[in-house]
Amino acid sequence: MAGRPKSEYDAKFRADLDKFVQMTGWTLQQKVALTCRVLDRDGHESALAGQVSTRGEKPGTYWTLRFGLGFDEARESNILLIDDDLNVLAGEGMANPANRFHLWIYRARPETGAIVHTHPPHASALSMIAEELIVSHMDTCVLYENCAYLPEWPGVPIGDEEGEMISAALGDKQAVLLAHHGLLTAAKTIEDAAVLAFYVERAAKLQLMARAVGPIKRVKPELAREARSYRGSPKYIAATFNYLARRVLREAPDCLN
């Protein structure tokens, strides 16, 4: 039997994705809480380091976890609404001062709706050896030609200088590896940013494991781009986020309260 072209199967898969994968009805606060919990479950916690933010319903507003809490403590009720100067507009507590550098990215990229910044062990380890992220596995190809690198550490990112540097290094990509620091993702939706952060850490882990055995063989660019288009489509990302969130909700259903 003669085989059909891959493009035909791809078209059917995308049509089925649009038909069967539904976007959830979670609020923005719930999505921030779920993202924190998803990343904590994947080892992204580092005490109080790292932030997750998403644009609020009104311009110049952002939802983010209250300072002083770990990702494992995130729930809808402790997600704050803040303004462009980190003043709290809704909720109790204070914003994480490191959220300031998020604002530079939001200003530079109007299309960005959410940002994830974490210090997970493998991405952090890779950031210490002056080596950029190598995307050479099908599962992580959503990051192919989509992860920048900031080779210099600007210090604790609570000032405007750090925001300018990180924003410039990110450029038009959706992820960046920050030397001596960690990772950052910036995407249209909180689901996109969460899934990309999940895969940056996965890619860093694979890279360190592979290099311990031998040199990494690069993938063919055309195949990597094909995989990026496949795994990075909005509905595929949504399906991935929904799965990761369901794992969290089985263990911590109270995070939606």
Side-chain angles (χ1 to χ4, degrees):
M1 184 178 77
R4 287 179 279 178
K6 185 185 285 189
S7 59
E8 187 175 328
Y9 295 112
D10 182 62
K12 181 181 184 305
F13 170 72
R14 292 175 188 271
D16 286 344
L17 273 180
D18 288 338
K19 181 179 179 181
F20 294 108
V21 175
Q22 303 299 317
M23 307 304 284
T24 67
W26 293 317
T27 66
L28 288 174
Q29 301 99 297
Q30 289 173 332
K31 289 180 181 180
V32 171
L34 284 168
T35 295
C36 291
R37 296 288 187 120
V38 163
L39 296 175
D40 173 76
R41 193 182 188 281
D42 194 48
H44 286 240
E45 48 66 41
S46 184
L48 303 183
Q51 316 86 37
V52 173
S53 69
T54 190
R55 289 187 192 269
E57 292 82 354
K58 295 182 179 180
T61 65
Y62 312 88
W63 292 104
T64 189
L65 179 65
R66 185 176 80 213
F67 179 72
L69 299 176
F71 281 0
D72 62 317
E73 298 176 295
R75 55 196 307 164
E76 181 182 14
S77 57
N78 54 38
I79 304 302
L80 304 179
L81 184 66
I82 62 173
D83 67 12
D84 255 328
D85 204 28
L86 305 187
N87 296 307
V88 175
L89 305 176
E92 298 181 359
M94 62 176 281
N96 189 325
N99 273 101
R100 188 168 305 282
F101 81 89
H102 291 217
L103 304 177
W104 284 87
I105 297 171
Y106 284 124
R107 290 168 188 160
R109 294 166 48 135
E111 77 282 1
T112 291
I115 294 169
V116 167
H117 169 57
T118 61
H119 302 180
H122 299 96
S124 296
L126 187 61
S127 81
M128 295 164 58
I129 60 176
E131 185 171 307
E132 298 185 37
L133 190 74
I134 299 173
V135 178
S136 191
H137 187 274
M138 182 182 76
D139 291 350
T140 61
C141 277
V142 67
L143 297 164
Y144 187 77
E145 298 176 328
N146 199 25
C147 185
Y149 179 59
L150 177 61
E152 298 296 329
W153 178 47
V156 179
I158 61 173
D160 293 327
E161 299 87 353
E162 294 82 13
E164 291 180 278
M165 288 183 65
I166 294 172
S167 177
L170 181 65
D172 62 354
K173 308 249 190 290
Q174 291 183 301
V176 59
L177 182 66
L178 307 171
H180 310 290
H181 194 170
L183 66 86
L184 180 139
T185 60
K188 184 176 181 180
T189 69
I190 188 70
E191 294 94 331
D192 291 339
V195 171
L196 286 168
F198 175 89
Y199 279 120
V200 173
E201 172 64 358
R202 180 62 56 90
K205 181 178 181 180
L206 291 173
Q207 184 169 335
L208 292 170
M209 292 172 63
R211 283 185 65 252
V213 178
I216 295 174
K217 182 179 179 181
R218 305 280 181 150
V219 293
K220 294 180 179 179
E222 64 273 17
L223 297 181
R225 293 178 190 125
E226 177 188 77
R228 182 184 65 201
S229 174
Y230 175 80
R231 302 294 289 268
S233 66
K235 284 297 185 76
Y236 199 109
I237 291 285
T240 303
F241 181 83
N242 292 347
Y243 162 68
L244 295 172
R246 287 196 305 271
R247 292 198 307 177
V248 163
L249 290 172
R250 285 194 291 269
E251 300 167 2
D254 63 333
C255 72
L256 294 184
N257 301 326

